[in-house]
Amino acid sequence: MNKSNSNAVSTPALANEPAEKASRKGNLHLIQYGIFIIFGLYYVIVTILRPGFLSLGNFYDIFIETSIISFVSFGEAIVIAAGGLDLSVGNMAGAAAMLTCHLMSNMGYDIWVSIVAGVAIGGLIGLGNGLMVTRLHMNSLIATLGTMFVLVGFLYGITGGVSVHIVPENFEYLGNGTFLNIPIPMYIMAVVFVLAYLFMEKTSYGRNITMIGGNIEACRLSGVNIKKLTLMTFVICGFLSTFSGILLAARQAVGNVDLGERFLLEGFIAAMLGTVIFNGKNIITGTLLGAIFLVSLLNGLTLLGAGPQWMYFAQGALLLVAIMANYYSKRSMLKLPGKK
Amino acid sequence: MGGQENIVIRTEQVSKSFPGVRALKELDFEVTRGEVHALCGENGAGKSTLMKIIVREYVEDEGNIFIEGHNVEGLGIRGVQELGLSIIHQELNLIPMLTVAQNICLGREPVNWIGKIDWKSMRKMAEEFLSEVTSEIDVENFVENLSISEQQLVAIARSLVTSPRILILDEPTARLDQKSSDSFFSFIERAKQKDLTVVYISHRLEEIYRICDRVTVLRDGKKIITEQINELPQTELVKYMLGREITQQVPKESVPIGEVKLSVKDLFPKEKGANINFDLKSGEILGIVGSIGAGKSEVARAIFGADPKKKGTISVAGKEVKINTPQDAIREGLALIPEERRDQGLVGNESVRKNMTMAALKKKFCVGPSWIQKDKEIEAVETSIRTLRIATPGTEQEVQFLSGGTQQKVVVAKWLMSDSSIYIFDEPTKGIDVGGKYDIYKLIVDLARQGAGIIFISNELMEVLSLCDRVLVMFNGQIIKGLETVATNREELLFYVMGGRDYAETANNSKGYH
């Protein structure tokens, strides 16, 4: 924060904070620092047991993985910022990946045409989600849960569950190639991160989306266009989810039906952590950190030789911690002074 | 008056304090068997506190309370229920998605021998209790399908399930329409014949004089008088409620009044209210008073587009405008400072800056389609903080950590930034300390001086009288009286707020009593 801002204003009397409130504020900081401290300790332990954790090669692995899940996480974080939740992110990613692979491998379309089609389908599904929430007044959790199952069925139906194995080499380059020794997905992540950050922090859209998440009725009575902005969050989320799906297909060089399913849990964890890390502010940066934390946690566990069941265990536990921290910080904002 | 055994509720020297206020001071209060006893007093006089102590929701600091001769010390809410006491609160506690029968029998459902709910006897039981109050409601209907008025009747029927001998009603008719009120009054008549005792809290003169036998007036936590209702003229009752004249503290200034700014014609808000007509001129502060449930907020919200309206036209500066959403209203220069500022006016966990610029963000602080100019924003917010003397450590302080009065100023600052010219203040001083109130009054007068038109909705007659140029009195959803504040006084205003008719005549007639 710019120091001169807070000092420039001389005030007759400062609002005195009751001790209880101040201590709650203190606890909030404890949560935020706690996340950093716990991960810091974890890194130290993993490094002592498996020095390979600190190698450049491993860093590459962590950052490529982070790049792939970052898009879906940004999307989910934006939906959560406005007070919603999108459960269909994984399946939107899967649908986009399958459509892209199908178009270019089986139908022979140009790579870029196929990718644009894949991205567009995500935007369209997101639009559908958004319309259900804003026009039909459905709870976002329920609406996107429906979308999720519809997409699962639809994908199995049209593909018969068969994977697309042969993809063009140019496409694979998107996932596995490097430029100036840096993997391509990281460039894409960097660009999307900057755009998402600017959108959320520097534009009136992002500002109002965050405000809606804080108090929807106050926003409505202040003339904020709730419907338009809520719709926008779902479209953006659908759009960004496809990036994760398509890049993962490119990296694996395979498009399979259940490819996106992991993104729901991962995106949700990263977005939840992202919302807590800076206490609901600057969620895009928070989410990027959240994604890095999540990927490095799983990476460390792999190095330590943990099986997939423990991966699930760790992700579940992290999600619970993130939700609890989130609930706690939300509660501290909702418990306003003097409220009945 | 009957002997000792006929006194069903008796309080002796009861006192109760809350942090900063003495809500009740050595209060003696008696209710005799079979009477309908009205409890009157202005807001904050201690009526609800007294009732809550009697039903054991609060515990007194000092004094004794006897119900049917039993000292209630140590008894809980259920304990006094077993003594035959039942209360109907202002808030309805019904479950909307259950049927009327399920709500009435909630927690006391009749069961058959295997423990399954016996729907048939439940229906019968519900019908029995409901028929005491009304015959118009089907017990199989879902509560969410009922009007508010019908829901209130169901709530009353539910309170009868415990077979109470003493019923406490806290403003029961605030939610009732004419038809439901009639069935409610005949219920009270019948109940009286069955020796049911009723304590009746109300703000409506007509009702009090229609159904009550005696009245007790509270003021500032003290009992002022207990009297037979037919020995106390309406105007006298109002005088007892108000007490001595309080010296006014509001900075009243005469501001030149200009052209008509806002004109409301034949407005029917969807929730409550009918046929609202009035004009607001620039520089004018127009008060709207009325008791709880009179429909003041509903009118404000309908004008602002926050709630839908059945019909009505609104003109701003002589031009008819279409207002269906708050966005429409803001475009026409309207501003609403809502009643619940924390729930409706502010985003608690966001900064003073973001809250202040919320309504004008796109119009004033963005370049291009939506790029926020933070420097310009901070400058404007700092200026506002200085000119309105807003007590915040800085522009980035979260508003949830500010005091009530300061928060209210932030809400007003928000509308100043969006260049509003018609301000609707809905209970702006509720829950705000004296100093904070004074600042808000000053702010309102300043706005009027700058040519804004102001609607000032309040429950506190004093502040309305000293701040406003003109005042409209609402009763049961309608404007029943318009008064110039210089030509009226608190007694007259309260008389109309309580639904009285023709003050001058009533006051003259009452002289014969003394």
Side-chain angles (χ1 to χ4, degrees):
Chain A
M1 196 129 313
N2 187 347
K3 210 171 173 212
S4 66
N5 292 345
S6 39
N7 290 345
V9 185
S10 70
T11 49
L14 293 188
N16 46 345
E17 275 177 29
E20 185 216 10
K21 241 190 294 166
S23 84
R24 213 189 282 127
K25 237 182 157 185
N27 289 340
L28 218 61
H29 288 143
L30 201 68
I31 294 176
Q32 292 157 29
Y33 298 140
I35 293 171
F36 286 98
I37 292 166
I38 288 170
F39 275 97
L41 283 174
Y42 175 75
Y43 294 150
V44 170
I45 293 167
V46 176
T47 310
I48 292 169
L49 294 173
R50 297 285 186 275
F53 183 69
L54 275 188
S55 70
L56 194 63
N58 198 43
F59 274 14
Y60 269 152
D61 283 348
I62 289 178
F63 280 108
I64 292 173
E65 267 299 293
T66 302
S67 319
I68 286 172
I69 70 163
S70 67
F71 309 105
V72 74
S73 311
F74 293 150
E76 189 72 271
I78 291 171
V79 171
I80 290 175
L85 199 61
D86 192 338
L87 296 183
S88 63
V89 284
N91 304 88
M92 289 193 286
M98 277 313 276
L99 182 69
T100 304
C101 291
H102 181 68
L103 285 179
M104 63 191 178
S105 301
N106 300 347
M107 312 276 289
Y109 280 99
D110 179 66
I111 295 179
W112 295 108
V113 172
S114 312
I115 290 177
V116 168
V119 170
I121 197 77
L124 272 179
I125 302 168
L127 183 69
N129 283 336
L131 287 175
M132 283 193 283
V133 172
T134 56
R135 300 287 148 179
L136 305 179
H137 306 286
M138 288 169 76
N139 180 311
S140 62
L141 194 94
I142 308 293
T144 56
L145 186 71
T147 308
M148 171 180 156
F149 285 115
V150 167
L151 286 177
V152 170
F154 186 69
L155 276 179
Y156 275 99
I158 58 162
T159 62
V162 180
S163 306
V164 179
H165 278 285
I166 305 147
V167 297
E169 227 170 77
N170 285 346
F171 181 63
E172 221 183 291
Y173 179 77
L174 273 182
N176 294 321
T178 58
F179 177 71
L180 301 174
N181 264 341
I182 294 173
I184 299 294
M186 286 182 63
Y187 287 106
I188 306 177
M189 174 177 77
V191 171
V192 172
F193 167 75
V194 170
L195 291 178
Y197 173 82
L198 293 177
F199 175 78
M200 285 306 285
E201 300 301 318
K202 302 289 175 191
T203 72
S204 62
Y205 298 117
R207 165 81 64 86
N208 284 334
I209 285 170
T210 320
M211 298 292 269
I212 290 173
N215 185 343
I216 189 165
E217 183 62 8
C219 288
R220 190 175 79 90
L221 293 180
S222 300
V224 173
N225 194 336
I226 311 271
K227 285 191 174 166
K228 185 176 107 184
L229 290 166
T230 309
L231 185 69
M232 199 185 263
T233 62
F234 283 97
V235 174
I236 291 173
C237 182
F239 180 73
L240 288 179
S241 301
T242 64
F243 282 46
S244 290
I246 293 170
L247 278 176
L248 182 61
R251 188 161 164 74
Q252 297 177 340
V254 172
N256 49 337
V257 174
D258 54 2
L259 151 153
E261 272 168 16
R262 48 179 280 214
F263 289 136
L264 171 56
L265 184 58
E266 292 173 347
F268 193 27
I269 295 173
M272 274 302 197
L273 282 175
T275 309
V276 199
I277 285 175
F278 299 115
N279 186 24
K281 313 264 146 53
N282 201 352
I283 54 156
I284 296 297
T285 314
T287 301
L288 181 62
L289 287 174
I292 293 173
F293 285 158
L294 173 65
V295 171
S296 55
L297 172 78
L298 298 179
N299 175 283
L301 285 176
T302 314
L303 291 180
L304 293 170
Q309 66 277 29
W310 292 110
M311 301 285 179
Y312 264 112
F313 179 85
Q315 291 191 64
L318 189 57
L319 180 62
L320 283 179
V321 169
I323 290 176
M324 266 191 281
N326 208 24
Y327 171 77
Y328 190 82
S329 58
K330 276 257 170 56
R331 201 183 54 149
S332 71
M333 25 199 237
L334 291 177
K335 276 223 169 161
L336 296 164
K339 200 171 165 180
K340 273 183 254 175
Chain B
M1 222 124 303
Q4 278 297 321
E5 70 277 7
N6 264 334
I7 293 173
V8 290
I9 300 177
R10 184 155 59 92
T11 73
E12 280 177 357
Q13 299 287 301
V14 167
S15 296
K16 174 77 184 171
S17 295
F18 294 110
V21 262
R22 284 196 70 189
L24 294 178
K25 291 163 200 155
E26 291 155 10
L27 196 93
D28 291 322
F29 174 64
E30 273 184 4
V31 180
T32 50
R33 191 178 308 285
E35 73 169 339
V36 179
H37 195 115
L39 195 57
C40 291
E42 280 203 292
N43 295 309
K47 296 165 302 198
S48 292
T49 308
L50 178 61
M51 288 306 114
K52 283 182 174 164
I53 285 178
I54 289 173
V55 300
R56 309 315 286 159
E57 281 177 38
Y58 294 161
V59 175
E60 67 282 356
D61 298 336
E62 276 164 58
N64 290 308
I65 293 135
F66 300 91
I67 293 173
E68 299 275 7
H70 298 274
N71 192 330
V72 299
E73 204 182 335
L75 285 184
I77 293 175
R78 271 213 104 91
V80 289
Q81 260 182 24
E82 278 157 24
L83 291 175
L85 197 71
S86 188
I87 185 164
I88 297 167
H89 286 290
Q90 278 178 29
E91 303 85 28
L92 297 171
N93 300 313
L94 299 175
I95 304 171
M97 58 285 234
L98 295 185
T99 65
V100 171
Q102 283 171 316
N103 268 287
I104 291 177
C105 304
L106 197 69
R108 290 166 204 274
E109 294 88 350
V111 290
N112 62 15
W113 62 275
I114 33 169
K116 187 185 161 297
I117 292 179
D118 183 350
W119 294 101
K120 223 168 142 186
S121 20
M122 182 159 107
R123 198 194 145 97
K124 230 181 100 198
M125 172 174 160
E127 269 168 357
E128 197 183 304
F129 287 113
L130 195 61
S131 66
E132 299 261 345
V133 195
T134 176
S135 53
E136 305 268 319
I137 301 171
D138 179 9
V139 294
E140 298 286 291
N141 204 345
F142 290 95
V143 165
E144 60 193 349
N145 298 335
L146 302 180
S147 69
I148 293 287
S149 185
E150 291 169 324
Q151 290 185 15
Q152 176 77 58
L153 293 179
V154 172
I156 294 168
R158 187 171 72 174
S159 69
L160 303 176
V161 171
T162 55
S163 316
R165 291 187 300 280
I166 310 159
L167 205 52
I168 298 175
L169 298 163
D170 197 352
E171 303 233 19
T173 51
R175 284 200 185 77
L176 295 180
D177 55 28
Q178 194 55 49
K179 202 174 80 184
S180 304
S181 297
D182 288 341
S183 45
F184 169 73
F185 291 135
S186 49
F187 155 69
I188 298 276
E189 290 297 330
R190 287 195 301 276
K192 250 159 91 172
Q193 276 150 26
K194 290 184 201 159
D195 254 7
L196 189 76
T197 309
V198 178
V199 180
Y200 192 80
I201 302 180
S202 177
H203 273 113
R204 299 180 172 205
L205 286 174
E206 193 198 351
E207 288 167 22
I208 294 167
Y209 280 83
R210 176 166 167 188
I211 61 169
C212 297
D213 302 307
R214 287 202 302 163
V215 56
T216 294
V217 177
L218 300 187
R219 189 172 73 221
D220 303 329
K222 281 188 284 218
K223 186 174 86 174
I224 303 302
I225 189 175
T226 296
E227 187 62 87
Q228 297 289 330
I229 200 84
N230 51 22
E231 284 171 21
L232 189 70
Q234 297 191 357
T235 44
E236 290 294 308
L237 174 62
V238 168
K239 267 188 195 139
Y240 282 126
M241 285 169 66
L242 292 169
R244 78 226 171 277
E245 202 74 25
I246 307 161
T247 47
Q248 53 167 286
Q249 299 208 328
V250 188
K252 176 98 182 174
E253 276 180 59
S254 62
V255 167
I257 292 188
E259 298 288 298
V260 172
K261 264 215 127 92
L262 173 78
S263 167
V264 176
K265 281 208 172 60
D266 298 326
L267 176 70
F268 285 72
K270 190 158 182 227
E271 292 298 323
K272 179 163 194 161
N275 210 6
I276 306 295
N277 284 288
F278 66 86
D279 284 342
L280 173 71
K281 299 192 179 90
S282 97
E284 183 180 39
I285 305 176
L286 175 67
I288 298 182
V289 296
S291 58
I292 296 158
K296 308 182 298 283
S297 295
E298 285 80 355
V299 168
R301 290 176 62 88
I303 293 173
F304 192 67
D307 289 334
K309 43 187 160 283
K310 281 186 218 144
K311 62 171 201 174
T313 53
I314 291 165
S315 311
V316 173
K319 204 172 103 252
E320 191 180 323
V321 293
K322 227 179 146 89
I323 295 179
N324 293 322
T325 63
Q327 279 163 285
D328 297 337
I330 292 165
R331 202 174 309 122
E332 301 300 337
L334 269 73
L336 174 70
I337 291 86
E339 187 178 2
E340 304 293 336
R341 78 184 153 269
R342 293 186 183 108
D343 293 341
Q344 303 173 343
L346 294 166
V347 183
N349 64 323
E350 293 291 353
S351 63
V352 169
R353 170 171 59 91
K354 291 182 185 176
N355 272 285
M356 269 194 199
T357 56
M358 182 158 56
L361 188 61
K362 228 169 175 160
K363 199 166 80 185
K364 282 194 153 170
F365 303 106
C366 286
V367 284
S370 60
W371 193 259
I372 297 171
Q373 292 176 291
K374 199 173 166 191
D375 290 349
K376 208 172 154 193
E377 197 189 356
I378 288 175
E379 200 188 306
V381 171
E382 283 176 350
T383 309
S384 251
I385 290 175
R386 263 195 308 274
T387 51
L388 300 183
R389 293 167 47 86
I390 294 173
T392 168
T395 58
E396 303 309 312
Q397 174 77 353
E398 290 182 16
V399 292
Q400 59 180 329
F401 298 116
L402 302 174
S403 72
T406 310
Q407 287 180 342
Q408 196 66 283
K409 285 187 186 175
V410 174
V411 179
V412 175
K414 170 173 80 184
W415 293 118
L416 286 172
M417 287 205 181
S418 75
D419 297 330
S420 308
S421 63
I422 299 163
Y423 289 78
I424 306 173
F425 286 86
D426 193 355
E427 305 268 2
T429 58
K430 200 168 103 179
I432 288 174
D433 60 61
V434 181
K437 278 184 183 175
Y438 183 82
D439 279 2
I440 290 166
Y441 299 143
K442 259 195 81 188
L443 198 60
I444 289 172
V445 173
D446 283 346
L447 286 173
R449 197 187 302 120
Q450 289 155 25
I454 288 156
I455 297 175
F456 184 80
I457 296 173
S458 176
N459 260 330
E460 284 183 44
L461 303 180
M462 253 337 275
E463 64 176 25
V464 170
L465 276 176
S466 44
L467 192 67
C468 299
D469 301 298
R470 207 150 53 92
V471 54
L472 305 175
V473 182
M474 284 195 71
F475 185 77
N476 226 347
Q478 280 176 309
I479 295 177
I480 58 160
K481 194 82 192 170
L483 296 159
E484 299 285 328
T485 46
V486 286
T488 184
N489 53 39
R490 281 199 305 160
E491 281 91 19
E492 186 179 7
L493 212 48
L494 182 59
F495 178 83
Y496 288 118
V497 164
M498 296 176 80
R501 288 192 190 96
D502 210 347
Y503 179 76
E505 195 179 312
T506 320
N508 282 335
N509 290 345
S510 74
K511 284 187 182 121
Y513 281 92
H514 295 281

